[in-house]
Every structure is written in structure tokens, then in C-alpha cells.
Amino acid sequence: MELLKFDSLVKLAVAASNKTAFSFSENEKYSAEQTSDLLRAQMNELAGDYRSFRENKNTIFSLIEQTIDEVLPAKVLQQYEQFADVSTVPQGDKVVFVRRITEASRMRAKQFVTQVGLAGRYETFMLDGERLEVKMNAIGAAARIGFEEFLDGRIQFSDLTDVILEGMDEYIYREIAKALASAVSELPAPNKVTASKFDSASMDRLLAIADSYAGAPATIYCTYEFAATMLPAEAWASNEMKDTIWGQGYLPRYKGHNIVILPQSMEDATNAKKVIDPSNAYIINSGAEKPVKIAFEGQTAVRDVNDNDDWSRDMQTYKKFGVAILTNPSICVYNNSSLKLETV
């Protein structure tokens, strides 16, 4: 098989990572499954044996780096765009998000909107702004590839890229969860409810607060466990509702508000500790300022450490990112304490 030019190889690797179709031209198109197979074939040309890998190592590392740089920010944006802004900047640049008008200014504006005559003296207020600089951290992933596994073709570098992307994405998701949880303490008391079960009246009160900002219905973000508790009383449940609950375990809407399920995962193979605290439901107005700010800085770096006595290779990656929370009084949180695990 003829080896593709590097630019085409990057596009192929991005398509394979996104599990999408790929085409070189109108006459040469590949399905998502064929794209993955084509990438494996191309990687076999680059690193099908030890000598090929040694000769093409820098090309392979550049391919992994550029694939991560293109796929990871886009993947994060796609998953969290409803409540997060994502920014990418060159190495060394500061990542600053600007909120043009603070909630304090909006409240002052409401206070000063009064009936006035055609001329005369008017009370004024300042439309100030707010700048939030995101502190950057480094995340990395490392994988050890056995020499015999490599020679036998049981390990593919495309598989390595997928593992790295999955690990980085999950780590970022954990940081988002931590940031959201820490932001709860900054919210006004009326924006928070803690109860030992789901109470529709309490949820309705929080939704009324969130809906009052930006004139748009709020969205409820929670885990499947929380959503499964948000059920109508038996007398209110229609046959259609019952079928939906039986089919997927929860209702996708609550009194005109969309419910978005936050993906859950476990910290390790013991399944004893969950990444996302299932007891919290975050109520965020989609028309207001997005509270979560995610930033990526610079390029991904890949290197290998090959001085192991058994000739195995340690593949290491390095990526700089940051997560920050911009709290505002439109965010509300419902905590169902009965769902909280002791180990979370």
C-alpha cells in the first residue's frame, strides 16, 4: 500500500478517532469502519516492524500530537457546549474569558429602569465587565508497549491514540465535575436545595429562579440516577409517560425543561467510587453566561522512553489545559442526599 502524504494521514487519523466517514475525492470514499481499517493499514506501513518504526518514529509522534490537538478540544466542545465555553491558545498565551456585563450590573440596570420624561436628569449605572484568567495545568498519559507485542502486531499506534484521547477526555470531565461541585458553595442560599428525596415543589422553585434570567427555560443536568427519581405522581402519569419511563428509565423533560444526562463512570475496576456525584442536579439557564470555561494551551507533546531492560517502550504524552467556573445567580443546585455514596 502506498503511504499517504502527512497532511492526508492527519485527516485520516482525525476521522478515525471521530469514527466518521472519510474521503479523498468524490470517487474515493470510506465508511467509518473502512476509515479505521485504512488507518491501521497506513500505520502498519509506518511501524509494521521495528526498523520501520525506528525510521518513522518522528512522523508517528507528530501524527499522534496533531490528532490529539484537533480531536480533543472539538470533542470536549461537542460534549459540554451546552454549559461550557472552550478556548485554544498558542503556547505561552494567557487564557482569558470576558463577561461583558456582570450580574451586578444587570441588577443595577433593573433597579434604574424607571418611567422618565422626554428630557431631564437620568440616574446612571456602570456597565462594567469581568475578566477570568484560567489557570493552566498539565495532563499526561503513559502506556507501556511490550517489544514482542509490538513485533507481533498486537499493539497498534492508532489504538494508543484512542486510549490517550479517552483518558484525557475523562480526566477533563472529572475536573469539570469538581469545579461544578466547588461552585455550589458560592451560590446564594435560595439557589440551593438539599433533601432526602426528590420533591417537585422544591425543584419547581429552583427552576423559577433559573428561568428568570435571560428569558429562556433552564436545562437540568444530572446523572441517570437522579433523573430516575424525577417521576410524576401516579395520578399524573400518562400511559405515554409510563412507556417512556419503562423504556429508558427516566423522562427526558420535566415540566417544559430538558434533562441532560451527565455520563457516569467509575474511578477504578472495583466500581466502588463514581466520578460524578449522583446526588447533585445542576440547573443552568442556557441563555445566560455559560458557567464552565475550558482552555487548552499549546501543542500536545509525545515522547518515548525506551531504555527498559526488556526492550518495552513507554509512550508519554503532555497536554496543557485548565477548567474554571464563572458562577452567576442563575445557577441552581438540587441535592438529593439519598443518592450520595459514602465512597464518592
Side-chain angles (χ1 to χ4, degrees), residues 260-319:
V260 175
I261 300 299
L262 299 174
Q264 185 63 278
S265 59
M266 302 296 174
E267 290 281 358
D268 52 44
T270 65
N271 294 334
K273 188 175 182 181
K274 297 179 180 180
V275 172
I276 301 297
D277 184 351
S279 65
N280 283 334
Y282 301 97
I283 302 158
I284 300 174
N285 193 308
S286 57
E289 178 79 22
K290 294 180 181 179
V292 179
K293 309 299 180 183
I294 306 171
F296 295 95
E297 178 187 347
Q299 299 176 335
T300 301
V302 176
R303 71 171 186 175
D304 70 331
V305 180
N306 58 354
D307 58 353
N308 300 321
D309 291 338
D310 61 357
W311 282 48
S312 62
R313 314 184 73 88
D314 293 343
M315 306 293 296
Q316 301 176 351
T317 59
Y318 183 94
K319 182 70 177 176

Coordinates of all heavy atoms in Angstrom, one line a residue, residues 260-319:
V260 N -30.6 16.8 30.7 CA -29.4 16.3 30.0 C -28.7 15.3 31.0 O -28.4 15.7 32.1 CB -28.5 17.4 29.6 CG1 -27.2 16.9 29.1 CG2 -29.2 18.3 28.6
I261 N -28.5 14.1 30.6 CA -27.8 13.1 31.4 C -26.3 13.2 31.4 O -25.7 13.2 30.3 CB -28.2 11.7 31.0 CG1 -29.7 11.5 31.1 CG2 -27.5 10.6 31.9 CD1 -30.3 11.7 32.5
L262 N -25.7 13.5 32.5 CA -24.2 13.5 32.6 C -23.7 12.1 32.6 O -24.2 11.3 33.4 CB -23.8 14.2 33.9 CG -24.3 15.7 34.0 CD1 -23.9 16.2 35.4 CD2 -23.6 16.6 32.9
P263 N -22.7 11.8 31.7 CA -22.2 10.4 31.7 C -21.5 10.1 33.0 O -20.8 10.9 33.6 CB -21.2 10.4 30.5 CG -20.9 11.9 30.4 CD -22.1 12.7 30.8
Q264 N -21.8 8.9 33.5 CA -21.2 8.4 34.7 C -20.1 7.4 34.4 O -20.2 6.6 33.4 CB -22.2 7.8 35.6 CG -21.8 7.3 37.0 CD -21.3 8.5 37.8 OE1 -20.2 8.9 37.7 NE2 -22.2 9.0 38.7
S265 N -19.1 7.3 35.2 CA -18.0 6.3 35.1 C -17.4 6.1 36.5 O -17.7 6.8 37.4 CB -16.9 6.8 34.1 OG -16.3 8.0 34.6
M266 N -16.7 5.0 36.6 CA -16.1 4.6 37.8 C -14.6 5.0 37.9 O -13.9 5.0 36.9 CB -16.2 3.1 38.0 CG -17.7 2.6 38.0 SD -18.7 3.3 39.3 CE -20.3 2.7 38.9
E267 N -14.1 5.2 39.1 CA -12.7 5.6 39.3 C -11.8 4.4 39.0 O -10.7 4.6 38.5 CB -12.5 6.0 40.8 CG -13.2 7.4 41.1 CD -12.4 8.5 40.6 OE1 -11.3 8.3 40.1 OE2 -12.8 9.7 40.8
D268 N -12.2 3.2 39.3 CA -11.4 2.1 39.0 C -12.2 0.8 38.9 O -13.5 0.9 38.9 CB -10.3 1.8 40.2 CG -11.0 1.7 41.5 OD1 -12.0 1.1 41.7 OD2 -10.5 2.4 42.5
A269 N -11.6 -0.3 38.7 CA -12.3 -1.6 38.4 C -13.1 -2.1 39.6 O -13.9 -3.1 39.4 CB -11.3 -2.6 37.9
T270 N -13.0 -1.6 40.8 CA -13.7 -2.1 41.9 C -15.2 -1.6 41.9 O -16.0 -2.1 42.6 CB -13.1 -1.6 43.2 OG1 -13.2 -0.2 43.3 CG2 -11.6 -2.0 43.3
N271 N -15.5 -0.6 41.1 CA -16.8 0.0 40.9 C -17.3 0.6 42.3 O -18.5 0.7 42.5 CB -17.8 -1.0 40.4 CG -17.5 -1.4 39.0 OD1 -16.9 -0.6 38.2 ND2 -17.9 -2.6 38.6
A272 N -16.4 0.9 43.2 CA -16.8 1.4 44.5 C -16.9 2.9 44.5 O -17.6 3.5 45.4 CB -15.8 0.9 45.5
K273 N -16.3 3.6 43.6 CA -16.3 5.1 43.7 C -16.6 5.7 42.3 O -16.0 5.3 41.3 CB -14.9 5.6 44.1 CG -14.8 7.1 44.4 CD -13.5 7.5 44.9 CE -13.5 9.0 45.2 NZ -12.1 9.4 45.8
K274 N -17.6 6.5 42.3 CA -18.0 7.1 41.0 C -17.4 8.5 40.7 O -17.0 9.2 41.7 CB -19.6 7.3 41.0 CG -20.3 6.0 41.2 CD -21.8 6.1 41.2 CE -22.5 4.8 41.3 NZ -24.0 4.9 41.4
V275 N -17.2 8.8 39.5 CA -16.6 10.0 39.1 C -17.5 11.2 39.4 O -17.1 12.2 39.9 CB -16.2 10.0 37.6 CG1 -15.7 11.4 37.1 CG2 -15.1 9.0 37.3
I276 N -18.8 11.1 39.0 CA -19.7 12.2 39.2 C -20.6 11.8 40.4 O -21.2 10.7 40.6 CB -20.6 12.3 38.0 CG1 -19.8 12.6 36.8 CG2 -21.7 13.4 38.2 CD1 -19.1 13.9 36.8
D277 N -20.8 12.8 41.3 CA -21.6 12.6 42.5 C -23.1 12.6 42.0 O -23.6 13.6 41.5 CB -21.4 13.8 43.5 CG -22.3 13.7 44.7 OD1 -23.1 12.8 44.8 OD2 -22.0 14.5 45.7
P278 N -23.8 11.5 42.1 CA -25.1 11.4 41.6 C -26.2 12.1 42.3 O -27.3 12.3 41.8 CB -25.4 9.9 41.6 CG -24.6 9.4 42.8 CD -23.3 10.2 42.8
S279 N -25.8 12.7 43.5 CA -26.8 13.4 44.3 C -27.1 14.8 43.8 O -28.1 15.4 44.3 CB -26.4 13.4 45.8 OG -25.2 14.1 45.9
N280 N -26.3 15.3 43.0 CA -26.5 16.7 42.6 C -27.1 16.8 41.2 O -26.7 16.1 40.2 CB -25.1 17.5 42.5 CG -24.7 17.9 43.9 OD1 -25.5 18.0 44.8 ND2 -23.4 18.0 44.1
A281 N -28.1 17.7 41.1 CA -28.6 18.1 39.8 C -28.4 19.6 39.6 O -28.7 20.4 40.5 CB -30.1 17.8 39.7
Y282 N -27.7 20.0 38.5 CA -27.4 21.4 38.2 C -28.4 22.0 37.3 O -28.7 21.4 36.2 CB -26.0 21.5 37.6 CG -24.9 20.9 38.5 CD1 -24.5 19.6 38.4 CD2 -24.4 21.7 39.6 CE1 -23.5 19.1 39.2 CE2 -23.4 21.1 40.4 CZ -23.0 19.8 40.3 OH -22.1 19.3 41.1
I283 N -29.0 23.1 37.6 CA -30.0 23.8 36.8 C -29.4 25.0 36.3 O -29.0 26.0 37.0 CB -31.2 24.1 37.7 CG1 -31.7 22.8 38.3 CG2 -32.3 24.8 36.9 CD1 -32.6 23.0 39.6
I284 N -29.2 25.1 35.0 CA -28.4 26.1 34.3 C -29.3 26.7 33.2 O -29.8 26.0 32.3 CB -27.1 25.6 33.8 CG1 -26.2 25.0 34.9 CG2 -26.3 26.7 33.1 CD1 -25.0 24.4 34.5
N285 N -29.4 28.0 33.2 CA -30.1 28.7 32.1 C -29.3 28.7 30.9 O -28.2 29.3 30.9 CB -30.5 30.1 32.6 CG -31.6 30.7 31.6 OD1 -31.4 30.7 30.4 ND2 -32.7 31.2 32.2
S286 N -29.8 28.1 29.8 CA -29.0 28.0 28.6 C -28.8 29.4 27.9 O -27.9 29.6 27.1 CB -29.6 27.1 27.6 OG -31.0 27.5 27.3
G287 N -29.6 30.4 28.3 CA -29.5 31.7 27.7 C -28.6 32.6 28.5 O -28.2 33.7 28.0
A288 N -28.2 32.2 29.6 CA -27.3 33.0 30.5 C -25.8 32.7 30.2 O -25.5 31.9 29.3 CB -27.6 32.8 32.0
E289 N -24.9 33.4 30.9 CA -23.5 33.1 30.7 C -23.2 31.7 31.1 O -23.6 31.1 32.1 CB -22.7 34.0 31.7 CG -21.2 33.8 31.7 CD -20.6 34.5 30.5 OE1 -21.2 35.4 29.9 OE2 -19.5 34.1 30.1
K290 N -22.4 31.0 30.2 CA -22.1 29.6 30.4 C -21.1 29.6 31.6 O -20.1 30.3 31.6 CB -21.4 29.0 29.2 CG -22.4 28.8 28.0 CD -21.8 28.2 26.8 CE -22.8 28.1 25.7 NZ -22.1 27.5 24.4
P291 N -21.3 28.8 32.6 CA -20.5 28.8 33.8 C -19.2 28.2 33.7 O -18.2 28.6 34.4 CB -21.4 28.1 34.8 CG -22.2 27.1 34.0 CD -22.5 27.8 32.7
V292 N -19.0 27.2 32.9 CA -17.8 26.4 32.8 C -16.9 26.9 31.7 O -17.4 27.2 30.5 CB -18.1 24.9 32.6 CG1 -16.7 24.1 32.5 CG2 -18.9 24.4 33.7
K293 N -15.6 27.2 32.0 CA -14.7 27.7 31.0 C -13.5 26.7 30.9 O -12.9 26.3 31.9 CB -14.1 29.0 31.4 CG -15.2 30.1 31.7 CD -16.1 30.4 30.6 CE -17.1 31.4 31.0 NZ -18.1 31.7 29.9
I294 N -13.3 26.2 29.7 CA -12.3 25.1 29.4 C -11.3 25.7 28.5 O -11.7 26.3 27.4 CB -12.9 23.8 28.9 CG1 -14.0 23.3 29.8 CG2 -11.8 22.8 28.7 CD1 -14.8 22.2 29.2
A295 N -10.0 25.6 28.8 CA -9.0 26.1 27.9 C -7.9 25.1 27.6 O -7.5 24.3 28.5 CB -8.4 27.4 28.5
F296 N -7.3 25.2 26.4 CA -6.2 24.4 26.0 C -5.1 25.3 25.6 O -5.3 26.3 24.8 CB -6.6 23.4 24.9 CG -7.6 22.4 25.2 CD1 -8.9 22.6 25.0 CD2 -7.2 21.2 25.8 CE1 -9.9 21.6 25.3 CE2 -8.1 20.2 26.2 CZ -9.5 20.4 25.9
E297 N -3.9 25.0 26.0 CA -2.7 25.9 25.6 C -1.6 25.0 24.9 O -1.2 24.0 25.4 CB -2.1 26.5 26.9 CG -0.9 27.4 26.6 CD -0.2 27.9 27.9 OE1 -0.8 27.7 29.0 OE2 0.9 28.3 27.8
G298 N -1.2 25.6 23.8 CA 0.0 25.0 23.1 C -0.4 23.6 22.5 O -1.5 23.2 22.4
Q299 N 0.7 23.0 22.0 CA 0.6 21.7 21.3 C 0.8 20.6 22.2 O 1.5 20.7 23.3 CB 1.6 21.7 20.2 CG 1.5 22.8 19.1 CD 2.6 22.7 18.1 OE1 3.7 22.2 18.3 NE2 2.3 23.3 16.9
T300 N 0.2 19.4 21.9 CA 0.5 18.2 22.6 C 1.9 17.8 22.3 O 2.4 17.9 21.2 CB -0.5 17.1 22.1 OG1 -1.8 17.6 22.4 CG2 -0.3 15.8 22.8
A301 N 2.5 17.2 23.3 CA 3.9 16.7 23.1 C 3.9 15.2 23.4 O 3.2 14.7 24.3 CB 4.9 17.4 24.0
V302 N 4.6 14.4 22.5 CA 4.7 13.0 22.7 C 6.2 12.6 22.7 O 7.0 13.1 21.9 CB 4.0 12.2 21.6 CG1 4.2 10.7 21.7 CG2 2.5 12.5 21.6
R303 N 6.5 11.7 23.6 CA 7.9 11.1 23.6 C 7.8 9.7 24.0 O 6.8 9.2 24.5 CB 8.8 11.9 24.5 CG 8.5 11.7 26.0 CD 9.5 12.3 26.9 NE 9.3 12.0 28.3 CZ 10.2 12.3 29.3 NH1 11.3 13.1 29.0 NH2 9.9 12.0 30.5
D304 N 8.9 9.0 23.8 CA 9.0 7.6 24.3 C 10.3 7.4 25.1 O 11.3 8.1 24.9 CB 9.0 6.6 23.1 CG 10.3 6.6 22.3 OD1 10.9 7.7 22.2 OD2 10.6 5.6 21.7
V305 N 10.2 6.5 26.0 CA 11.3 6.2 26.9 C 11.6 4.7 26.6 O 10.8 3.8 27.0 CB 11.0 6.4 28.4 CG1 12.2 6.0 29.2 CG2 10.6 7.9 28.6
N306 N 12.7 4.4 26.0 CA 13.0 3.1 25.5 C 14.2 2.4 26.1 O 14.9 1.6 25.5 CB 13.1 3.0 24.0 CG 14.2 3.9 23.5 OD1 14.8 4.7 24.3 ND2 14.5 3.9 22.2
D307 N 14.6 2.8 27.4 CA 15.7 2.2 28.0 C 15.4 1.1 29.0 O 16.1 0.8 29.9 CB 16.6 3.3 28.7 CG 15.8 4.1 29.8 OD1 14.6 3.8 29.8 OD2 16.4 4.9 30.5
N308 N 14.2 0.6 28.8 CA 13.8 -0.5 29.7 C 14.6 -1.8 29.3 O 14.9 -2.1 28.2 CB 12.3 -0.8 29.6 CG 11.4 0.4 29.9 OD1 11.8 1.1 30.9 ND2 10.4 0.6 29.2
D309 N 14.9 -2.6 30.3 CA 15.7 -3.8 30.1 C 15.1 -4.8 29.2 O 15.7 -5.6 28.5 CB 16.1 -4.4 31.5 CG 17.0 -3.6 32.3 OD1 17.7 -2.7 31.7 OD2 17.1 -3.7 33.5
D310 N 13.7 -4.8 29.3 CA 13.0 -5.8 28.4 C 12.7 -5.3 27.1 O 11.9 -5.9 26.3 CB 11.7 -6.3 29.2 CG 10.8 -5.1 29.4 OD1 11.1 -4.0 29.1 OD2 9.7 -5.4 29.9
W311 N 13.2 -4.1 26.7 CA 13.0 -3.5 25.4 C 11.6 -2.9 25.2 O 11.2 -2.6 24.1 CB 13.3 -4.5 24.2 CG 14.8 -4.6 24.0 CD1 15.8 -4.9 24.9 CD2 15.5 -4.6 22.7 NE1 17.0 -5.0 24.3 CE2 16.9 -4.8 23.0 CE3 15.1 -4.3 21.4 CZ2 17.8 -4.8 22.0 CZ3 16.0 -4.4 20.4 CH2 17.4 -4.6 20.7
S312 N 10.8 -3.0 26.2 CA 9.5 -2.3 26.1 C 9.7 -0.8 26.0 O 10.7 -0.3 26.4 CB 8.6 -2.7 27.3 OG 9.2 -2.2 28.5
R313 N 8.6 -0.1 25.5 CA 8.7 1.3 25.3 C 7.6 2.0 26.1 O 6.5 1.5 26.1 CB 8.5 1.7 23.8 CG 9.3 0.8 22.9 CD 9.2 1.3 21.4 NE 9.9 2.5 21.2 CZ 11.2 2.6 20.8 NH1 11.9 1.5 20.6 NH2 11.8 3.7 20.6
D314 N 8.0 3.0 26.8 CA 7.0 3.8 27.5 C 6.6 5.1 26.6 O 7.5 5.9 26.4 CB 7.5 4.3 28.8 CG 7.7 3.1 29.8 OD1 7.2 2.1 29.5 OD2 8.5 3.3 30.8
M315 N 5.4 5.1 26.2 CA 4.9 6.3 25.4 C 4.3 7.3 26.3 O 3.3 6.9 27.1 CB 3.9 5.8 24.3 CG 4.4 4.7 23.5 SD 5.7 5.2 22.4 CE 4.9 6.4 21.4
Q316 N 4.7 8.5 26.3 CA 4.2 9.5 27.2 C 3.7 10.7 26.4 O 4.3 11.1 25.4 CB 5.3 10.0 28.2 CG 5.9 8.8 29.0 CD 7.1 9.3 29.9 OE1 7.6 10.4 29.7 NE2 7.5 8.4 30.8
T317 N 2.6 11.3 26.9 CA 2.0 12.5 26.3 C 1.9 13.6 27.3 O 1.8 13.4 28.5 CB 0.6 12.2 25.7 OG1 -0.2 11.7 26.7 CG2 0.7 11.1 24.6
Y318 N 1.9 14.8 26.8 CA 1.8 16.0 27.7 C 0.9 17.0 27.0 O 1.1 17.4 25.8 CB 3.2 16.6 27.8 CG 3.4 17.7 28.8 CD1 3.7 17.6 30.1 CD2 3.2 19.1 28.3 CE1 3.9 18.6 31.0 CE2 3.4 20.1 29.1 CZ 3.7 19.9 30.5 OH 3.9 21.0 31.3
K319 N -0.1 17.5 27.7 CA -1.1 18.5 27.2 C -1.4 19.5 28.3 O -1.7 19.1 29.4 CB -2.3 17.8 26.7 CG -3.3 18.7 26.0 CD -2.8 19.3 24.7 CE -3.9 20.2 24.1 NZ -3.4 20.8 22.8

